[in-house]
Amino acid sequence: MRHGWFGAAAAVALFSVPAAAADLAVKTPIAVSAYDWTGFYVGANVGYGVGRDPSTVGFPGFFGAPVPPPESVTQGPVGWLGGLQGGYNKQFGNLVVGIEGDWQWSGQRDSACVFVCDTEVAVTVEQKLRDFGTVRGRIGYAAGSALFYLTGGFAFGRVDTKA
């Protein structure tokens, strides 16, 4: 009987295949792709703005002398802002160059009383920032999903003033 158990154990050991981790389904590791900043983008924004506009108000009199003397006033236009922006970036290694622009609409406004404000001859100056925009170039350094950049360009806008 002893030989019987030994023979059976030897047969099982000889003909059985051990289960190994290699028999399990192995997923291929996902290749990590480098982040690429190349492409077009568009977006929208909304917010609230606060401005500061110091100015001097005067009326021309005879021979160019203002009547009454000029008065300094500082207006602080406040209101909603909203707009669209878009641009394009191109990446060369870690160097990123691009161009972008935006156009904003504004409800910022303020008015101020100048000269004698407690009588019927008061003059009110009102300013409204209607819209503005920018066009800028960009140069930067890409560090994965972070982009460190410098930007510069020009801005334009339309301010309406009524007195």
Side-chain angles (χ1 to χ4, degrees):
M1 191 72 142
R2 255 187 191 165
H3 294 296
W5 282 104
F6 179 74
V12 168
L14 184 62
F15 294 110
S16 65
V17 179
D23 291 342
L24 300 175
V26 176
K27 293 184 179 179
T28 326
I30 298 172
V32 178
S33 63
Y35 197 86
D36 189 6
W37 286 91
T38 298
F40 289 98
Y41 61 93
V42 293
N45 61 74
V46 65
Y48 192 79
V50 177
R52 184 173 185 275
D53 182 17
S55 56
T56 302
V57 179
F59 296 99
F62 299 108
F63 308 109
V67 177
E71 184 173 324
S72 294
V73 63
T74 299
Q75 291 182 290
V78 297
W80 63 270
L81 302 165
L84 303 171
Q85 70 267 358
Y88 179 78
N89 289 322
K90 179 70 177 168
Q91 185 169 346
F92 305 95
N94 286 20
L95 176 68
V96 177
V97 293
I99 187 165
E100 64 185 358
D102 65 86
W103 188 275
Q104 310 293 320
W105 293 270
S106 171
Q108 287 184 285
R109 63 184 63 209
D110 190 22
S111 61
C113 181
V114 292
F115 303 116
V116 185
C117 295
D118 57 354
T119 67
E120 295 175 8
V121 294
V123 176
T124 301
V125 177
E126 182 181 25
Q127 286 187 334
K128 297 177 186 175
L129 176 59
R130 297 280 184 193
D131 54 5
F132 61 96
T134 66
V135 176
R136 305 179 299 282
R138 169 185 296 148
I139 185 165
Y141 176 80
S145 63
L147 177 62
F148 302 95
Y149 64 91
L150 297 172
T151 185
F154 66 94
F156 51 92
R158 182 173 53 170
V159 176
D160 294 339
T161 303
K162 289 192 291 185

